[in-house]
Amino acid sequence: MEMKTNTHRPIDTAVQDAINDQIQAEFQSAYIYLAMSAKFEHMSLNGFAHWLRLQWQEETAHAMKFYEFLLQRDGVVELKELERPAVSFSSPLEAFEQVLEHEQYITSRINNLYDLATEKRDYPLQNLLQWFIDEQVEEEDSARSVIDSLKLIGDAGPNLFLLDRELGARQPE
Ligand code: OFO
């Protein structure tokens, strides 16, 4: 009797390319947040700097999740060039508005990747992306909550010092 097997097919090239692009996007996010962190250190807002440095670590971990996934699927990892991060802000509020905008851009990329995984019937990738979809809800929410606090307290003064202390207490995940 002939046995029917249902193994995973080799990874589709369009999916592989899209994952490699996403590895680049996650490392690029890490690079942007590290540059922002350095700028906050210069502004003597070490809590903001700490928060962004942890974000740099998280983004690196995101890139590595895609990297490991591609290798597990017997795909080819192709690391791409990173752009010089164009970090320019004149206040903490402006910086965190940029963080939120960047995360919204990453969310749209994850959604597009999910559409591709669905179109190509790549079930393992759909599964991995479920984690990223939830993560993006958190990422946008945490940027938004810093923006809300900054709007309440303003961009300077003793309350900014307190918020800086609060952000400085962020723990790695
Ligand atoms: Fe990787 O979530 Fe932010 O960019």
mmCIF file of all heavy atoms in Angstrom, residues 8 13 23 30 33 40 50 59 92 119 157 169:
data_model
loop_
_atom_site.group_PDB
_atom_site.id
_atom_site.type_symbol
_atom_site.label_atom_id
_atom_site.label_comp_id
_atom_site.label_asym_id
_atom_site.label_seq_id
_atom_site.Cartn_x
_atom_site.Cartn_y
_atom_site.Cartn_z
ATOM 1 N N HIS A 8 7.018 19.176 4.878
ATOM 2 C CA HIS A 8 7.099 20.580 4.448
ATOM 3 C C HIS A 8 7.829 20.665 3.130
ATOM 4 O O HIS A 8 8.848 20.010 2.935
ATOM 5 C CB HIS A 8 7.832 21.411 5.497
ATOM 6 C CG HIS A 8 7.044 21.533 6.755
ATOM 7 N ND1 HIS A 8 5.772 22.043 6.772
ATOM 8 C CD2 HIS A 8 7.338 21.208 8.015
ATOM 9 C CE1 HIS A 8 5.328 22.020 8.009
ATOM 10 N NE2 HIS A 8 6.233 21.521 8.776
ATOM 11 N N THR A 13 11.120 30.672 -2.946
ATOM 12 C CA THR A 13 12.160 31.723 -3.068
ATOM 13 C C THR A 13 11.617 33.117 -2.732
ATOM 14 O O THR A 13 12.339 33.914 -2.135
ATOM 15 C CB THR A 13 12.780 31.788 -4.482
ATOM 16 O OG1 THR A 13 11.870 31.265 -5.417
ATOM 17 C CG2 THR A 13 14.092 31.096 -4.576
ATOM 18 N N ILE A 23 14.801 40.355 7.980
ATOM 19 C CA ILE A 23 15.984 40.305 8.860
ATOM 20 C C ILE A 23 16.689 41.664 8.799
ATOM 21 O O ILE A 23 17.051 42.246 9.814
ATOM 22 C CB ILE A 23 16.945 39.156 8.448
ATOM 23 C CG1 ILE A 23 16.289 37.793 8.727
ATOM 24 C CG2 ILE A 23 18.284 39.275 9.170
ATOM 25 C CD1 ILE A 23 17.072 36.585 8.185
ATOM 26 N N ALA A 30 17.035 47.935 15.060
ATOM 27 C CA ALA A 30 17.973 47.890 16.182
ATOM 28 C C ALA A 30 18.973 49.052 16.071
ATOM 29 O O ALA A 30 19.237 49.762 17.049
ATOM 30 C CB ALA A 30 18.723 46.558 16.183
ATOM 31 N N TYR A 33 17.413 52.436 16.946
ATOM 32 C CA TYR A 33 17.186 52.635 18.378
ATOM 33 C C TYR A 33 18.496 52.810 19.137
ATOM 34 O O TYR A 33 18.546 53.541 20.128
ATOM 35 C CB TYR A 33 16.343 51.487 18.956
ATOM 36 C CG TYR A 33 14.939 51.460 18.368
ATOM 37 C CD1 TYR A 33 14.269 50.272 18.114
ATOM 38 C CD2 TYR A 33 14.286 52.645 18.053
ATOM 39 C CE1 TYR A 33 12.990 50.263 17.567
ATOM 40 C CE2 TYR A 33 13.014 52.650 17.495
ATOM 41 C CZ TYR A 33 12.371 51.454 17.259
ATOM 42 O OH TYR A 33 11.114 51.455 16.712
ATOM 43 N N PHE A 40 20.152 60.197 23.488
ATOM 44 C CA PHE A 40 19.563 60.459 24.807
ATOM 45 C C PHE A 40 20.635 60.508 25.904
ATOM 46 O O PHE A 40 20.524 61.294 26.840
ATOM 47 C CB PHE A 40 18.478 59.423 25.144
ATOM 48 C CG PHE A 40 17.116 59.816 24.645
ATOM 49 C CD1 PHE A 40 16.515 59.140 23.585
ATOM 50 C CD2 PHE A 40 16.413 60.865 25.238
ATOM 51 C CE1 PHE A 40 15.261 59.509 23.117
ATOM 52 C CE2 PHE A 40 15.152 61.237 24.785
ATOM 53 C CZ PHE A 40 14.574 60.555 23.717
ATOM 54 N N HIS A 50 18.429 54.014 28.308
ATOM 55 C CA HIS A 50 18.366 52.605 28.723
ATOM 56 C C HIS A 50 17.201 51.897 28.016
ATOM 57 O O HIS A 50 17.345 50.791 27.492
ATOM 58 C CB HIS A 50 18.186 52.549 30.246
ATOM 59 C CG HIS A 50 17.795 51.212 30.761
ATOM 60 N ND1 HIS A 50 18.692 50.197 30.963
ATOM 61 C CD2 HIS A 50 16.568 50.699 31.099
ATOM 62 C CE1 HIS A 50 18.053 49.128 31.417
ATOM 63 N NE2 HIS A 50 16.757 49.394 31.503
ATOM 64 N N GLU A 59 15.134 44.183 19.133
ATOM 65 C CA GLU A 59 15.110 44.153 17.659
ATOM 66 C C GLU A 59 16.136 43.160 17.112
ATOM 67 O O GLU A 59 15.878 42.466 16.128
ATOM 68 C CB GLU A 59 15.365 45.542 17.075
ATOM 69 C CG GLU A 59 14.353 46.596 17.455
ATOM 70 C CD GLU A 59 12.922 46.241 17.092
ATOM 71 O OE1 GLU A 59 12.690 45.272 16.347
ATOM 72 O OE2 GLU A 59 12.029 46.941 17.568
ATOM 73 N N PRO A 92 12.221 64.668 23.534
ATOM 74 C CA PRO A 92 11.824 63.278 23.758
ATOM 75 C C PRO A 92 10.497 62.942 23.064
ATOM 76 O O PRO A 92 10.351 61.846 22.502
ATOM 77 C CB PRO A 92 11.688 63.174 25.283
ATOM 78 C CG PRO A 92 12.606 64.230 25.813
ATOM 79 C CD PRO A 92 12.539 65.344 24.816
ATOM 80 N N GLU A 119 -0.682 33.363 1.010
ATOM 81 C CA GLU A 119 -0.776 33.120 -0.438
ATOM 82 C C GLU A 119 0.036 31.880 -0.834
ATOM 83 O O GLU A 119 -0.397 31.070 -1.653
ATOM 84 C CB GLU A 119 -0.251 34.375 -1.148
ATOM 85 C CG GLU A 119 -0.327 34.357 -2.657
ATOM 86 C CD GLU A 119 0.616 35.405 -3.247
ATOM 87 O OE1 GLU A 119 0.657 36.542 -2.715
ATOM 88 O OE2 GLU A 119 1.321 35.082 -4.207
ATOM 89 N N GLY A 157 11.430 69.724 32.735
ATOM 90 C CA GLY A 157 11.015 69.920 34.121
ATOM 91 C C GLY A 157 11.132 68.668 34.959
ATOM 92 O O GLY A 157 11.545 67.617 34.473
ATOM 93 N N ALA A 169 13.924 51.940 34.599
ATOM 94 C CA ALA A 169 13.671 50.699 35.368
ATOM 95 C C ALA A 169 13.203 49.560 34.462
ATOM 96 O O ALA A 169 12.947 48.453 34.944
ATOM 97 C CB ALA A 169 12.632 50.977 36.449
#
